[in-house]
Amino acid sequence: MQTLATETAADPKRKRSCILLWMPGGPPQTDTFDMKPGHKNGGSFKPIDTSVPGIQISEHLPKLAKQMEHLAIVRSMSTKEGDHQRATYLMRTGYLPQGPIHYPTLGSLVSRELGHSDLELPSFISVAPNRFLSPAAYSSGFLGPKYAPLIVGEGARVREGQDVATTLRVRNLDLPEGVEATQADTRLDLLKHLEDDFVANRPGVTGQSHQQAYLQAVRMMKSGASNAFSVETEPVELRERYGMNQFGQGCLLARRLVEQGVPFIEVSLSNAPGADGAGLGWDTHQGNFDRVKALSAALDSGWSTLMEDLKDRGLLESTTIVWMGEFGRTPNINDNQGRDHFPAAWSAVLGGGGVKGGQVYGSSTEDGMKVKDAPVTTPDLIATVCKSLGIDPLKQNMSNVGRPIRIADFEAQAIEKLVG
């Protein structure tokens, strides 16, 4: 049975998924996955041992520490972008914003490669994103509206007594009161006739986006797959293990979407109970340690339970997990007990299917200010994610200016040591 399972997991025909755990604001590497104990830059957090001898991470990630055999830490990420907007665009598309080319976000690229026609749900679903600082970084760009994300939970505020899971539902999927299915079908036929005529005479992305949004909505309305968004139907004990916060329940939703065959899901951690960050995520210019401790608690429960749940259901080997933000935070601590933007040397983490876990790649200097060895660029990381998913990073797509663009920049070098 073990041999059969291994062969099945390696079968390229098997449906694969990717979950991006996006950390807006830039998480501090020195307080999470690249601790600097004994150095003044290390701060107040202590490192703890993990399930892999010799690898240590933050004391506030104890559940993840037990999953280290499934994770690979990249401690040598390095870019030159310290501005939220540009850095977010770079990390999510693999390219800097430039000229008239509208680069697609990673989720759109993956969904185009791994999506399949029989899927009743959109092939790219974004859970609780914070698009304010860099909206273009969440766009499907030149791939068009077909590969745009379905957004759920953005800007949602949980009222007292409200189940946080209700903020992750897709709105307006049910028919209006008093409207029968036959009436709805007639109305949709009329709408389709009008839209086909409009798009034929006025071609362009705007009309196509509107039409595509309606087509996806109708497809979900008529299928049972939309029940995947009813996270509240899961056992209470499991929900509590994930964490009764938006990130934790978003991770549970991600698992349910993987079960439905959705190829790309991203879950953002912009806030957490006790973080007091007003939705600014990991942008900890002041009060870094209190906020990171609270954010780490939500991250630890949600991420670790997600991996356990996927493994228990036989889905971890076909699901690649990526953890990253737009940059790291300064190793040195400022006068407000905060850490500022720092793109020179920081960390990202890969895990799950297609990744050789239980290792650390690259390192930073003792003070954390520079990459010590094996620097990794953004295109390198994108290429590595693609390889782990069975996607050729050098494949080209035609851009909106008629120029072919590779999924990852032509200079990208996938980290073969990390690809399983």
Side-chain angles (χ1 to χ4, degrees):
M1 290 299 294
Q2 182 60 43
T3 302
L4 177 61
T6 302
E7 290 177 350
T8 302
D11 186 353
K13 296 180 180 179
R14 188 180 185 194
K15 294 178 181 177
R16 301 190 61 85
S17 295
C18 180
I19 299 175
L20 169 61
L21 302 178
W22 179 252
M23 305 291 111
Q29 67 285 351
T30 47
D31 301 320
T32 51
F33 292 101
D34 190 11
M35 311 291 288
K36 300 298 178 184
H39 195 280
K40 65 178 181 178
N41 290 346
S44 58
F45 291 179
K46 306 299 182 185
I48 59 172
D49 292 332
T50 68
S51 60
V52 178
I55 299 179
Q56 293 185 321
I57 62 174
S58 167
E59 62 181 318
H60 299 298
L61 300 172
K63 298 174 183 176
L64 271 176
K66 298 176 181 179
Q67 300 276 347
M68 188 51 60
E69 67 270 20
H70 302 300
L71 300 173
I73 304 172
V74 179
R75 288 180 174 166
S76 53
M77 289 296 305
S78 184
T79 73
K80 298 180 181 179
E81 298 301 325
D83 170 74
H84 283 298
Q85 182 179 18
R86 288 176 60 85
T88 298
Y89 192 94
L90 172 63
M91 291 307 301
R92 293 178 60 88
T93 67
Y95 292 89
L96 285 170
Q98 52 186 313
I101 301 178
H102 305 151
Y103 293 102
T105 190
L106 178 62
S108 299
L109 290 164
V110 172
S111 66
R112 186 182 190 279
E113 296 304 312
L114 301 184
H116 40 93
S117 59
D118 59 340
L119 183 63
E120 294 179 324
L121 296 175
S123 56
F124 174 16
I125 296 175
S126 179
V127 181
N130 186 346
R131 298 181 290 174
F132 174 72
L133 291 176
S134 189
Y138 293 79
S139 166
S140 56
F142 58 66
L143 291 183
K146 182 178 180 180
Y147 301 104
L150 170 66
I151 305 289
V152 296
E154 183 176 24
R157 296 190 177 186
V158 182
R159 301 185 299 273
E160 185 176 353
Q162 181 186 9
D163 188 333
V164 67
T166 61
T167 67
L168 303 179
R169 291 178 179 169
V170 182
R171 299 177 182 178
N172 304 319
L173 282 184
D174 297 326
L175 291 175
E177 186 177 350
V179 176
E180 300 292 335
T182 53
Q183 290 177 287
D185 288 341
T186 302
R187 293 179 179 183
L188 290 170
D189 286 342
L190 176 59
L191 175 64
K192 183 178 184 305
H193 175 75
L194 293 172
E195 287 204 328
D196 286 347
D197 182 66
F198 183 91
V199 172
N201 290 287
R202 301 170 182 82
V205 174
T206 303
Q208 293 174 2
S209 297
H210 188 269
Q211 195 171 37
Q212 188 65 37
Y214 268 87
L215 288 172
Q216 287 186 346
V218 171
R219 189 170 187 174
M220 283 193 292
M221 287 172 64
K222 293 184 175 183
S223 77
S226 60
N227 291 330
F229 295 94
S230 300
V231 174
E232 66 276 9
T233 61
E234 291 281 343
V236 174
E237 181 182 355
L238 179 61
R239 294 187 62 196
E240 290 177 344
R241 281 173 53 203
Y242 271 98
M244 298 299 283
N245 52 74
Q246 195 175 54
F247 178 77
Q249 298 304 289
C251 287
L252 176 52
L253 173 58
R255 186 224 82 200
R256 291 170 63 88
L257 293 172
V258 167
E259 288 181 307
Q260 293 294 328
V262 176
F264 195 95
I265 309 105
E266 64 179 13
V267 185
S268 298
L269 177 50
S270 300
N271 210 344
D276 192 28
L280 296 177
W282 301 81
D283 197 25
T284 54
H285 291 284
Q286 57 186 6
N288 173 83
F289 298 100
D290 289 339
R291 282 179 58 188
V292 170
K293 182 178 178 180
L295 289 165
S296 293
L299 177 67
D300 193 43
S301 295
W303 187 359
S304 63
T305 307
L306 172 63
M307 295 185 68
E308 292 172 357
D309 208 2
L310 288 169
K311 184 178 180 181
D312 290 345
R313 295 165 188 270
L315 295 170
L316 185 59
E317 288 301 318
S318 59
T319 306
T320 301
I321 299 173
V322 183
W323 178 88
M324 66 177 179
E326 62 265 44
F327 40 54
R329 313 297 301 181
T330 51
N332 54 297
I333 304 165
N334 65 29
D335 294 338
N336 294 316
Q337 286 297 297
R339 297 189 190 272
D340 302 316
H341 302 179
F342 192 69
W346 50 288
S347 300
V349 182
L350 305 178
V355 175
K356 294 179 182 177
Q359 61 174 315
V360 171
Y361 184 84
S363 65
S364 60
T365 53
E366 291 184 5
D367 59 3
M369 296 300 293
K370 297 179 181 178
V371 169
K372 184 177 180 180
D373 62 75
V376 176
T377 67
T378 302
D380 294 341
L381 185 66
I382 297 293
T384 305
V385 172
C386 287
K387 281 288 190 80
S388 70
L389 290 166
I391 297 172
D392 180 4
L394 297 182
K395 181 177 179 179
Q396 298 183 116
N397 293 301
M398 190 58 65
S399 70
N400 56 297
V401 297
R403 170 187 161 194
I405 302 291
R406 292 180 175 89
I407 294 176
D409 187 81
F410 72 96
E411 294 184 349
Q413 295 291 326
I415 309 171
E416 298 294 342
K417 185 179 178 181
L418 302 185
V419 179

